[in-house]
Amino acid sequence: MSEELRYERSCGAVVYCQKDNDIKYVLVCEHGGYWVFPKGHMEEGETEHETALREIKEETGLDVTFADGFCEKDEHNLAREGRPNTIKQTVYFLAKCENTKLIAQESEIAKIELMDFESAMATLQFDSFKNILRKANDFLNK
């Protein structure tokens, strides 16, 4: 008999800053070595945007504003974390930061970096994140 599937909900954003025509993306490296977008678990009573704002601030120290009209969803099994019966559902927005003073939350984040699109694509390990970044970059360049 198989165990029932559980779902975890998280929210975050593809965070970018823009100077002139140069766009840089904020990627965070988790202690497990995976490069991802800033994100985290929803707390009771929070909206998706509230969760994303709180988690981005906690993980990176950045205040951001959301771009209207961008929302991507990712879903994956947490088997690699030893929880094969848990599905993580994450909503990603697109958010702009004006200040680029990055402050890593050491309990959760090993490193934070600003990267151009090509570097970020080469750094992200998962195709789902690459697809989200590609869509965000296309959105910004249209």
Side-chain angles (χ1 to χ4, degrees):
M1 185 161 168
S2 68
E3 201 176 316
E4 192 174 319
L5 278 180
R6 285 188 299 275
Y7 292 87
E8 286 184 8
R9 294 201 55 215
S10 290
C11 302
V14 177
V15 178
Y16 74 98
C17 62
Q18 193 165 8
K19 289 206 181 348
D20 302 317
N21 286 332
D22 196 23
I23 298 172
K24 300 272 190 192
Y25 295 97
V26 177
L27 294 186
V28 297
C29 184
E30 299 171 324
H31 289 295
Y34 294 105
W35 285 91
V36 298
F37 306 114
K39 63 165 178 356
H41 295 286
M42 285 187 85
E43 291 181 359
E44 193 158 335
E46 279 185 328
T47 66
E48 291 175 339
H49 280 103
E50 288 168 343
T51 298
L53 283 173
R54 177 181 52 77
E55 287 290 343
I56 292 163
K57 181 72 170 177
E58 286 176 6
E59 291 186 357
T60 68
L62 296 172
D63 292 308
V64 299
T65 53
F66 293 114
D68 289 334
F70 186 91
C71 181
E72 288 293 322
K73 294 181 168 85
D74 180 45
E75 186 173 289
H76 63 273
N77 188 293
L78 294 178
R80 73 164 197 236
E81 295 173 19
R83 298 185 286 155
N85 295 312
T86 303
I87 304 294
K88 184 171 198 165
Q89 299 171 318
T90 308
V91 173
Y92 291 101
F93 301 105
L94 182 60
K96 185 176 187 178
C97 62
E98 298 299 333
N99 172 11
T100 56
K101 186 172 192 287
L102 303 171
I103 303 165
Q105 180 186 24
E106 291 178 12
S107 62
E108 290 190 33
I109 304 300
K111 287 189 265 186
I112 306 176
E113 295 204 14
L114 273 174
M115 300 181 194
D116 63 27
F117 176 73
E118 290 76 19
S119 298
M121 287 295 281
T123 300
L124 291 166
Q125 294 104 322
F126 298 109
D127 288 341
S128 60
F129 291 147
K130 290 180 185 192
N131 289 333
I132 291 167
L133 180 61
R134 192 175 294 111
K135 288 177 182 177
N137 196 63
D138 290 347
F139 185 91
L140 290 172
N141 286 306
K142 69 175 176 181

